[in-house]
Amino acid sequence: MDTTFPDLRQYGGADAFLQACKPRTVLDIFTNKWTGLVLGALLDGPRRFNELRRMLDGITQKMLSQTLRTLERDGLLVRTVYPTIPPRVDYELNELGRSVVGVLRSIGEWAGEHADEVIAARQAYDERAKEPVKPV
């Protein structure tokens, strides 16, 4: 069976299947499990690093730093350093970051509506995986 995908660019779509396409590099932003949560934590306005860390149960300091740095690099948030002692740093969604909020809310709503189904499917799969393989 042929598992390769045809190049459908000539038909105006499917670029995301191609490794070097621009939309795919942008979609990669959202493959990090913390990205959506960090963006969600910033919905209500600017937050400081430790405030974000307390909100995001399970995130390490290193992962939060990496995620914030990546989101800043990708142009989704602004990092503002205030010249105080000690320095105060705020993170805030910019216009581009706020523009993705609707998509994230939709994904969050879908997750909430279907969490029980997904968990049940996982449990059923895990139970089947425990069963010995029967010869054909």
Side-chain angles (χ1 to χ4, degrees):
M1 182 167 104
D2 184 13
T3 59
T4 60
F5 293 100
D7 184 350
L8 301 176
R9 288 176 292 179
Q10 63 187 350
Y11 304 111
D15 279 355
F17 290 116
L18 302 175
Q19 186 173 6
C21 84
K22 290 179 188 177
R24 183 167 170 178
T25 64
V26 174
L27 288 171
D28 286 345
I29 294 169
F30 302 103
T31 60
N32 176 308
K33 81 174 192 178
W34 293 108
T35 297
L37 295 171
V38 169
L39 291 172
L42 293 170
L43 285 177
D44 294 329
R47 299 204 186 271
R48 296 174 79 174
F49 184 90
N50 283 327
E51 186 179 5
L52 288 167
R53 190 162 170 217
R54 284 189 299 272
M55 288 179 73
L56 300 168
D57 187 35
I59 196 168
T60 64
Q61 183 171 337
K62 179 182 177 184
M63 184 52 63
L64 180 55
S65 293
Q66 287 177 341
T67 303
L68 290 168
R69 203 172 306 120
T70 299
L71 291 171
E72 181 183 13
R73 179 177 181 255
D74 291 335
L76 298 173
L77 65 80
V78 176
R79 178 179 183 264
T80 304
V81 180
Y82 296 94
T84 60
I85 297 176
R88 178 179 158 192
V89 180
D90 283 346
Y91 298 90
E92 182 175 17
L93 295 179
N94 59 17
E95 188 176 337
L96 184 61
R98 285 188 299 275
S99 73
V100 76
V101 167
V103 173
L104 293 175
R105 277 199 178 123
S106 294
I107 292 170
E109 289 171 7
W110 183 91
E113 290 171 14
H114 299 284
D116 291 338
E117 294 169 73
V118 171
I119 291 167
R122 288 176 183 170
Q123 291 170 343
Y125 179 91
D126 292 345
E127 286 301 315
R128 285 192 311 272
K130 290 179 188 176
E131 296 174 5
V133 178
K134 297 175 186 171
V136 182

